[in-house]
Each structure stands twice: as structure tokens, then as C-alpha cells.
Amino acid sequence: MPLFNGERDVIGRRQFIRNSVVGAGYVWLSRAAPFAASAAVADDSQIEVLLGEPLGSISPNIYGHFTENLGGVIYDGVWVGEKSKVPNLNGIRKELVEEMRKIKAPVVRYPGGCFADSYDWRDGIGPADKRPRRTNFWAQEETSAGPASHKYDPNQFGTNEFVQFCKLIGSQPYLAANVRSLPAAEFYRWVEYCNSPAGTTTLADMRAAAGYAEPFGVRYWGVGNESWGCGGDFTAQEYAVEFRRYTAWVPQYGQKLSFIASGPSDDHWDWTRGFLEEIVRHSPGDIRSIYGLALHYYAWNLSRGRTSNWNEGKGDALKFDTLDWYELLRQGDVMESLINGHWQVMGEFDREHSIKLVVDEWGPWYRPGSEATPGDILEQTPTLRDAVFSASTLDTFNRHPEKVAMANCAQLINCLNSLYLAHEDKFCVTPVGHVFAMYAAHQGGQSLRTIFSAPAVNYDRDGKAASFWGLQGSASLHDRELVLTVVNPHLSAAREAKIGVRGASLKSGTATTLTSSDMHAHNTFEQREVVTPQTRALDFQRGDLAYSFPPASVTRLTLALE
Ligand code: AHR
């Protein structure tokens, strides 16, 4: 179990969302100089992939995304409108669609986040010119720098447009339903609108009138969001009652429905325990009605232990020093203990572990100030640091294929750990987007136990010695091809590793690397290719491989086995 106390984190986030506290006036004093790479020490590390120890199949859905109607995510990010000069496919940003096809995006969550529990899905269907304008959940965070569409939802992007976006990119939709402010009947009707066969119901007719006669076949349904906070301020026990009420008699229309319960944030074991205890107390069989338990975890506290205040503890996305680099990665490392910890608690009530974890919000969260588009709330500019963080998080999911069924990076575009930044006709892929492109190769593979041995990173944490793992990653098998991804977090030392596969020998391969000599490196609308992956063929004799992992890097090795 992790030792950090998430209690205040969550209360802080809850208050942030409630009180519109956007931290200002916090001056960051230290800005580190770009680091220099030093020479590798011969064979200081070892990576051993154990072919005989499969861990389970990696669900493609752990490479999932999240698009909330928040700031510039939907309006300007995904949706530009059919009449826009920005190239679009029925109103959806074309360049985004093209990029997402490359990363094999499996699933997208929508419309929130906190927005979900204020959203009436009926506002977003029917003729576009008849749809109402509504105050967005996030309106109180907006400033005069943001466009009106961010504050007052024009509802031009609704269920039809979202499902169309998913179809264009080859993803499954994951809809988050409103439990706080709509009755359960509206949830059933949203399912009916999406899934009832053509010609069978009035809602199916409305869908057909919009040009979608065929049912959408939506399988994944979130039952509220953060129901301990913006999703209703429920206790875990109260929420269990709501969950049962919302999910007990939902019509199926031949489409399997997978309900995802609003789960804990961080290390809130009590939420997981309280919710499942109440479900089981009422009827042990109800466990089977839950497909997944959502877990949210943001890495935000870069105060080095000085505070757990949500506003004061945050760091800057662009202005950071070497210590902040390691501190963020340390925060990211907590994910593994959260997965293990909640899994253990879930096992107290669900011995067969039929319920899986759905980490449907994750990523770093910095204080405002690095927005690519001024006025876009919660937008930040991802750097190489966030790429390394994200790669490490995806490796963590890969190492727990039996536990994690889905994960959704928060968020896809113009928000938090964005894969893409966009404004009007400007667009760029962030270093995080490149990591998703590199890691797509793991999807559906058989995860293999892999042992990493490398000298630890030792650094000074404000006068106290601190250390961090030296190399970490994950491996997956696809027929006779092995995908091995490796993170070297060290800011100045390359790691020279011997790579062996127990049970096979290596024949040939390629290496794709994402790195930079500047830890702050990031892509912008003007300089779109500052951080991009480089691929080269590996030149080695059959057998084992020696590979030098550059400092501050993410590497994917694609290796043919014989
Ligand atoms: O991703 C931003 C917000 O963070 C989401 O709306 C909410 O679920 C979480 O607190």
C-alpha cells in the first residue's frame, strides 16, 4: 500500500472544482539549464524477458482516451464545425482524425469528468440549430480570454457527433452518464437512443432522422464520475445504492453493456471497500453487474513533501529543474501501488476478480501558465518529462494485464496530459502523443514478465538522499515478435544494457527512441517537430543484444525471435 495520504489531495481537487480556485501569483524561481548526456558505462544493466512467464493479454483499451466538454477539448479541439475553414470531416478536425488513426485509438470516454454529472444528453441530439445553449459545468473557471462556446455549451457536439468521431478513428465510445442531476430513467433512455434497433422506438426514429439508422452499439457506460465529489458528494454506501438503481434493469437490445462504477481517487481504499461491501451486503451476485471500477490518479504534488495543498503543491509544466523531473516520475510510480492496493481490496469482496480496474483519468496536472492557447482552462504544454512519465505509466498498465482492463489518459487534446494541441488551423502532436504512437505496438500482445537490473538514480532531494529506479519497462509477445519498451529516467547517464530472452534468441530488430538533450523540450504550433521519435535498424549478431538507452529517453525495441 502506498504511504502517501491522498485524502487532502482529493478534498483539494473537490474544492478546486467547486470554488474556482485557479492558482496565481506563485513564482517559480529555479530553472535548470539543459542537461548534457554523458558516456555510458559498459554493460551496467541487464534486461531479461521471460518467455515462459506470460502475465496475460494486454487489453488494447488501456491505450484509451478521454474527451471532456471542458475548455478547448471539444470546441476547437475535436469539433471545429462543418462550415469551418479548418479541414474537417463533418465538423470534426481532420488532422486529429488522421493522427488518431495512426495510434490505433481503441476507446474514447466522453462527455466527462465532472461535466458528465451536469449534462443532459437530450440537449445534444436533434437538429443542430434547435439545440439549446447551456451553462457549462466548468463555466466558473472560464475567463474573458476563452471563447463563449467554452462557457456556454452550444451543444453542436453531442452523442451523434461523438459516436461519429469514434467511428472515424476506429474507437469504441465510452459514455459517462449523469447520476447527480438526472434520474435513472434518463440513463435508460440514453441507452435506448444509442442502442435500440432501427424502427423500434421513438428514440431510434430520432436517431435515424439525424442520419444514423443503425444502432450505435455502445458497450461501455460509466455510472457517474467521481461520485464522492463533483458527481454527487455521495458516500460509498449511498453511491452503491445509486449504482444498483441505475444499472439493475437497463434494456440491452442485444448489445452487452459493461457498466463502470465510479471508483476511488488515489489511495482511497475506503471508497473501494465501502462501495463493494454495500454491493455484496445487498446481494453477492450483484458483483457480476460491475464490469469495472474506475480509478483516478493525477500526479500534481511537486512540493517535495512541503504541502498537500492542491493549489500550492503544483509545479510548472515548462519551468522545472532536475529535481522536479524526478519528483514527477516518483509521483507517477505511485500508480503501481494504487493498482495493487485497490486490487487487493477488491479481492476481499470479489474473490474471482471478475471486476477489473478502469483507470479512466490519469496524467500529470500542473498549475496554469503554459497554455498553448491563452484562455484554454486546464491546458498545459507537455514536455519530454511528460512523455517519460506517460511511457512509464503505460508500462505499468502493461505489467498488470489481468487487473487493468481500460485506461484513459486525461485528456486527449488541449487539456492536461494532451496528446495533441490545437487552435483554429494550428495543430501539433505533443511528446505524449508520440509515446502513444510508439506504445500502440503493445496492444493485444501477451505481457511477459521482464526483469530490469540497472543502477538506481541517486539524487539530492533538498538535502536528503533520494533514489529512483534505473531502468523500467514492459514486454509483450505478438507471434514471434517481441515488443520491449524501456524508460531511462536518468537525466545524464545512458544505460548500456544486455538484453536477453529466456526461451528464445533474437534475430533482428528495430529501435525507436524519443529523447532530447533538453529535458524541457516540447512541440509547439510553430515548431512541431522538436521532439519526435527516431527509428533505426539494429545491427547485432543472433543471440543477445547490447543496447545503449540514452538519458531521459523512451525506447521501443521491436525484436524478431527465432
Ligand atoms: O480531468 C479534469 C477533471 O479531473 C475531471 O473533470 C474530473 O473527473 C477530475 O477531477
Side-chain angles (χ1 to χ4, degrees):
M1 300 264 169
L3 297 174
F4 84 102
N5 176 6
E7 185 69 34
R8 274 185 261 168
D9 311 347
V10 168
I11 291 172
R13 190 151 98 241
R14 195 185 283 183
Q15 273 161 0
F16 156 79
I17 286 160
R18 195 177 272 160
N19 300 336
S20 173
V21 183
V22 180
Y26 190 86
V27 183
W28 197 256
L29 294 173
S30 56
R31 182 201 278 264
F35 58 87
S38 69
V41 179
D43 279 4
D44 59 5
S45 306
Q46 207 175 337
I47 300 173
E48 200 180 2
V49 184
L50 309 179
L51 269 194
E53 295 199 35
L55 300 172
S57 171
I58 296 174
S59 163
N61 286 349
I62 68 169
Y63 290 86
H65 307 284
F66 174 31
T67 53
E68 176 164 9
N69 189 348
L70 185 179
V73 178
I74 298 297
Y75 296 103
D76 199 21
V78 178
W79 179 258
V80 293
E82 287 160 4
K83 295 186 188 128
S84 172
K85 288 193 188 116
V86 180
N88 66 84
L89 301 165
N90 296 332
I92 294 160
R93 185 181 285 276
K94 188 163 175 262
E95 201 166 2
L96 175 66
V97 169
E98 286 164 357
E99 285 300 330
M100 291 196 74
R101 283 181 180 156
K102 291 184 200 161
I103 64 170
K104 297 204 277 176
V107 63
V108 187
R109 179 175 182 240
Y110 167 83
C114 291
F115 176 86
D117 281 286
S118 69
Y119 181 59
D120 185 340
W121 66 273
R122 282 181 182 262
D123 291 342
I125 61 163
D129 60 350
K130 300 269 176 336
R131 296 186 193 173
R133 276 173 295 145
R134 303 278 189 218
T135 309
N136 189 299
F137 172 86
W138 292 95
Q140 74 272 22
E141 307 295 328
E142 291 287 341
T143 64
S144 54
S149 60
H150 294 184
K151 194 166 183 181
Y152 301 108
D153 181 3
N155 275 303
Q156 297 302 289
F157 188 90
T159 305
N160 302 336
E161 292 75 19
F162 172 65
V163 171
Q164 216 206 355
F165 171 52
C166 290
K167 283 205 184 342
L168 285 169
I169 60 176
S171 275
Q172 292 209 58
Y174 164 18
L175 290 170
N178 180 345
V179 170
R180 172 168 60 80
S181 57
L182 279 186
E186 281 304 320
F187 176 41
Y188 308 156
R189 293 201 178 121
W190 201 7
V191 176
E192 184 174 297
Y193 179 79
C194 291
N195 292 356
S196 61
T200 57
T201 65
T202 302
L203 288 172
D205 290 349
M206 286 175 74
R207 193 186 64 225
Y212 305 94
E214 285 311 305
F216 293 151
V218 178
R219 170 179 172 187
Y220 298 109
W221 293 89
V223 184
N225 167 76
E226 296 194 348
S227 301
W228 40 263
C230 63
D233 272 314
F234 295 111
T235 65
Q237 291 73 18
E238 287 166 348
Y239 174 68
V241 175
E242 297 301 317
F243 180 86
R244 192 164 50 239
R245 207 156 62 79
Y246 276 67
T247 58
W249 303 104
V250 188
Q252 303 266 324
Y253 309 108
Q255 168 62 56
K256 178 184 165 68
L257 303 180
S258 295
F259 296 124
I260 294 157
S262 173
S265 186
D266 307 345
D267 60 354
H268 285 210
W269 322 120
D270 286 355
W271 179 272
T272 301
R273 186 170 282 117
F275 169 69
L276 291 174
E277 205 165 48
E278 177 57 27
I279 293 282
V280 168
R281 186 197 62 72
H282 177 264
S283 166
D286 285 355
I287 282 284
R288 299 261 163 214
S289 67
I290 311 169
Y291 168 79
L293 183 70
L295 165 66
H296 291 183
Y297 176 61
Y298 288 100
W300 61 275
N301 193 337
L302 296 183
S303 74
R304 306 163 191 185
R306 280 194 292 271
T307 180
S308 49
N309 181 288
W310 173 251
N311 294 306
E312 288 163 17
K314 291 213 204 75
D316 196 286
L318 293 176
K319 298 173 200 143
F320 59 88
D321 60 21
T322 53
L323 183 45
D324 295 322
W325 168 281
Y326 293 121
E327 288 294 294
L328 184 83
L329 299 184
R330 278 169 81 95
Q331 290 255 317
D333 227 26
V334 170
M335 181 65 86
E336 191 141 32
S337 54
L338 296 179
I339 291 170
N340 285 326
H342 286 293
W343 190 252
Q344 191 182 317
V345 176
M346 288 155 76
E348 292 171 20
F349 307 93
D350 175 24
R351 291 199 188 288
E352 288 166 20
H353 277 302
S354 68
I355 307 172
K356 305 297 176 195
L357 279 165
V358 171
V359 189
D360 57 17
E361 290 187 28
W362 66 268
W365 191 326
Y366 303 106
R367 62 169 176 260
S370 71
E371 299 81 7
T373 304
D376 275 5
I377 58 165
L378 268 63
E379 183 173 296
Q380 55 197 33
T381 297
T383 64
L384 178 64
R385 176 174 61 160
D386 303 300
V388 169
F389 175 101
S390 301
S392 181
T393 301
L394 293 171
D395 282 325
T396 302
F397 297 150
N398 286 342
R399 294 196 297 268
H400 296 276
E402 79 290 13
K403 305 184 186 82
V404 186
M406 191 197 292
N408 308 74
C409 179
Q411 300 195 9
L412 178 70
I413 184 165
N414 293 346
C415 187
L416 302 175
N417 202 35
S418 311
L419 282 78
Y420 311 105
L421 295 171
H423 178 50
E424 298 173 345
D425 60 350
K426 292 176 280 194
F427 184 89
C428 72
V429 181
T430 73
V432 174
H434 287 307
V435 165
F436 271 82
M438 289 166 67
Y439 275 58
H442 277 300
Q443 292 185 20
Q446 185 60 235
S447 178
L448 298 172
R449 196 158 88 81
T450 303
I451 302 166
F452 294 82
S453 324
V457 181
N458 295 308
Y459 65 99
D460 181 274
R461 193 177 191 243
D462 291 338
K464 287 199 183 125
S467 71
F468 192 72
W469 47 257
L471 278 185
Q472 193 52 280
S474 63
S476 62
L477 187 66
H478 311 250
D479 296 323
R480 296 303 287 168
E481 185 176 87
L482 183 72
V483 176
L484 175 64
T485 47
V486 181
V487 165
N488 177 5
H490 203 294
L491 276 170
S492 56
R495 289 288 168 233
E496 186 73 28
K498 257 211 164 128
I499 302 169
V501 179
R502 204 184 288 173
S505 60
L506 300 169
K507 203 160 60 171
S508 59
T510 61
T512 302
T513 307
L514 190 77
T515 189
S516 167
S517 58
D518 178 3
M519 65 180 174
H520 305 103
H522 56 276
N523 299 333
T524 63
F525 297 141
E526 293 73 34
Q527 293 190 288
R528 290 166 44 128
E529 303 207 337
V530 175
V531 190
T532 52
Q534 306 299 323
T535 300
R536 66 182 174 88
L538 291 170
D539 183 17
F540 67 103
Q541 304 294 322
R542 285 186 150 77
D544 289 353
L545 165 70
Y547 191 81
S548 177
F549 293 96
S553 67
V554 178
T555 303
R556 181 192 70 202
L557 300 176
T558 307
L559 303 163
L561 302 182
E562 64 175 6

